[in-house]
Amino acid sequence: MKAHYLILIFIAQFNCIAQKKFIIPDSLSHKNYNELSDDIDKYEDDSIKLWVYYHTYIEKAKKENNKEELINGYRNILFDLPLTTRLQYTDSILNIATSLKDNKLIGRAYIHKAVAYFRYKNYIKSLDNYLIADKYINYKNDIYTQYKIKYGIANIKFYLGYYQEALDLFTECKDFYKNQEGYNYKQGYLHSLCSTGLCNFRLGNFDKCSQINELGIKESNSSDFSLINSYFFQSEGINQFAIKNYNKSINYLKKPLSNIIDNEDFVNIAVTYMYLGKNYLKLNHDTQGIIYLQKVDSILQKKNYANLDLRETYEIFINYYKNKGDLENQLLYTNRLLDADKILEKNYKDLISTIHKEYDTAELVASKHNLEKTLKRNTIISYIIYSLGGIIILVISYLLIANYKKQKRYKQKYEELIAKAKEREKQPEQQIQTTKIITDELDINKEIVLKILKGLETFEKKEEYLGIGLTQSLLAEELDTNTTYLSKVINHYKGKNFNSYLNELRVNHAVSLLKNSSTHRRYTIKALAEELGFSNPRSFSDAFFSQTGIKPSYFIKQIEKEPDLLMSA
């Protein structure tokens, strides 16, 4: 849903650009490309600000006629665009690269086009662009991109059903990435390894698939690679189903599920649910099995999506309800399957003739008509009421569980915050030790550093951080130094920038104040914000939440509810 709205916002903004030329805001006009890149990373979840930084970067490159940076600017924005607009931008990148006569840039532009076509299921055009890119990429000078192309072609062959050819290419990629150093290469190795496992599964080499998954789980067993580790577990869960180890399959599938859900990978969430459903049905736990399959259906309907694997969900539903004599659900999932086939025929038109279908279209249509005649006397109203009732129950359950988990999490944060506040109050004030000051890496005179540190010590003791309108410039002036020295010292000795340092002092002060003063707990958030030096209640609340994980209003209510906790050791 988030990505959907983001695309809509970008489309609207591009329409505005077509009517009015973008002008770089004065506040951003002094920034260099590195700073703008940092801002783009910082505001990746804020579509409005992100759009401004994207186009500031592009407009700056245009004004300076810096073609290399203009290409980077277009690349920044590519993956937030719908297909048609993305292809226009890849064409712009290609035109610039061609004007520079840079084969590496030309090749990478074709890769961008290939990726765009692949995402929208146009596998033939994707493959064409990968092959063109391959002609421009020099194997000796850019071997990493060469293997990126191989990996992309392998993915296409896999989706088109050429599993042995895909396996050969994935194996080449795996062997190359394995012998390189660095995080990106390790990622490439693990993804290629996982893909070789999937190819072996498709080819019926189940023992080989298990060996690969076991190796992958071991190789990716660290926090840096937790996501790909989840896909190795998922792959092995599917593989265990194929060899009829149903309980073992369930264990493998459930272990990575939360991680895949957090990644918002709806396709693999649905695949996992489908195999969990199939496992439970095989174990004669029909209720659990159907629940998981219904989750698959919910995802497919919400996303208006179908693929060759998930199509089987509807065949299972039809057979299940046919055996139960449930004509209404049999008709429902017959219609679902017909709708899924329409999507498949559109997205997989080059592969659709090779799909194995238990129910072909003619049989499905005939079955649908018969079911409709049989169910003619039933009222649609009762069906809608039962369906809506089920959905409402699921939604309410989800909301109650989500609220319970949130309250539990907030309670834990509150208790940790109280404990930290007590610990701070027990600690003696630390004095600055001149002998321990290391300034070599700061390139600032030691005496100046000591002076600034002592000034900060006084600043903290006297609680001068509570002053409204306090800025880094004002503090630097008060300490008789400049903002550059002050910023460097704060970053080095406090481990954070000025704003974070100031907010931390104010929030810690707020915690102590609210913990120890019942009078202040009766203040409004606005009054508290003013007393703590914040410009408005929102900035105080945001700073408090950012540092503590809870809102100040919740903290106050919890203290009033549990005064005994304040007195405990």
Side-chain angles (χ1 to χ4, degrees), residues 54-247:
Y54 276 155
H55 289 282
T56 295
Y57 197 112
I58 291 170
E59 195 62 30
K60 176 181 173 66
K62 285 180 179 179
K63 284 185 176 182
E64 296 175 359
N65 196 28
N66 190 329
K67 294 183 177 181
E68 288 83 359
E69 291 296 349
L70 184 55
I71 287 177
N72 288 333
Y74 287 152
R75 281 176 178 162
N76 286 337
I77 207 169
L78 277 182
F79 294 100
D80 286 321
L81 301 176
L83 178 62
T84 303
T85 310
R86 184 188 298 190
L87 289 173
Q88 291 173 358
Y89 270 68
T90 58
D91 286 338
S92 297
I93 292 173
L94 180 58
N95 290 335
I96 297 169
T98 303
S99 72
L100 293 171
K101 298 180 181 179
D102 188 321
N103 284 346
K104 183 184 291 188
L105 292 177
I106 294 172
R108 289 180 177 177
Y110 279 110
I111 292 174
H112 291 314
K113 291 173 75 71
V115 171
Y117 280 121
F118 182 85
R119 181 176 177 183
Y120 288 88
K121 310 295 186 303
N122 194 329
Y123 299 119
I124 300 303
K125 284 191 177 182
S126 180
L127 180 59
D128 288 343
N129 280 278
Y130 272 124
L131 294 175
I132 296 172
D134 192 50
K135 294 178 182 179
Y136 284 96
I137 299 298
N138 185 300
Y139 184 82
K140 293 181 181 178
N141 294 338
D142 196 357
I143 190 170
Y144 177 84
T145 304
Q146 189 79 21
Y147 275 91
K148 189 174 181 181
I149 293 170
K150 282 181 184 287
Y151 187 88
I153 293 173
N155 260 330
I156 294 170
K157 287 184 177 292
F158 180 86
Y159 278 96
L160 292 178
Y162 302 116
Y163 301 122
Q164 186 59 55
E165 293 179 31
L167 176 59
D168 294 339
L169 285 173
F170 281 131
T171 301
E172 283 186 50
C173 293
K174 169 185 70 78
D175 293 341
F176 165 71
Y177 291 128
K178 183 178 181 180
N179 295 318
Q180 309 300 318
E181 296 291 333
Y183 176 81
N184 288 336
Y185 286 108
K186 181 67 178 288
Q187 280 275 34
Y189 163 69
L190 291 173
H191 282 281
S192 301
L193 181 65
C194 190
S195 296
T196 62
L198 295 174
C199 289
N200 276 287
F201 171 79
R202 296 292 187 183
L203 293 168
N205 304 328
F206 302 126
D207 288 342
K208 183 64 176 176
C209 180
S210 281
Q211 292 172 13
I212 291 169
N213 288 329
E214 287 175 13
L215 175 62
I217 289 169
K218 181 180 178 182
E219 294 273 359
S220 60
N221 189 23
S222 74
S223 58
D224 289 339
F225 304 106
S226 61
L227 185 58
I228 185 63
N229 181 266
S230 298
Y231 290 115
F232 280 114
F233 271 99
Q234 183 203 49
S235 175
E236 187 54 23
I238 294 170
N239 195 50
Q240 289 297 324
F241 174 84
I243 57 180
K244 302 182 180 180
N245 291 333
Y246 303 125
N247 283 312

Side-chain angles (χ1 to χ4, degrees), residues 549-567:
I550 58 178
K551 293 287 186 180
S553 55
Y554 175 88
F555 181 73
I556 294 169
K557 288 178 183 177
Q558 204 64 30
I559 289 178
E560 294 296 318
K561 283 169 59 179
E562 301 183 38
D564 291 344
L565 186 62
L566 301 179
M567 306 300 297

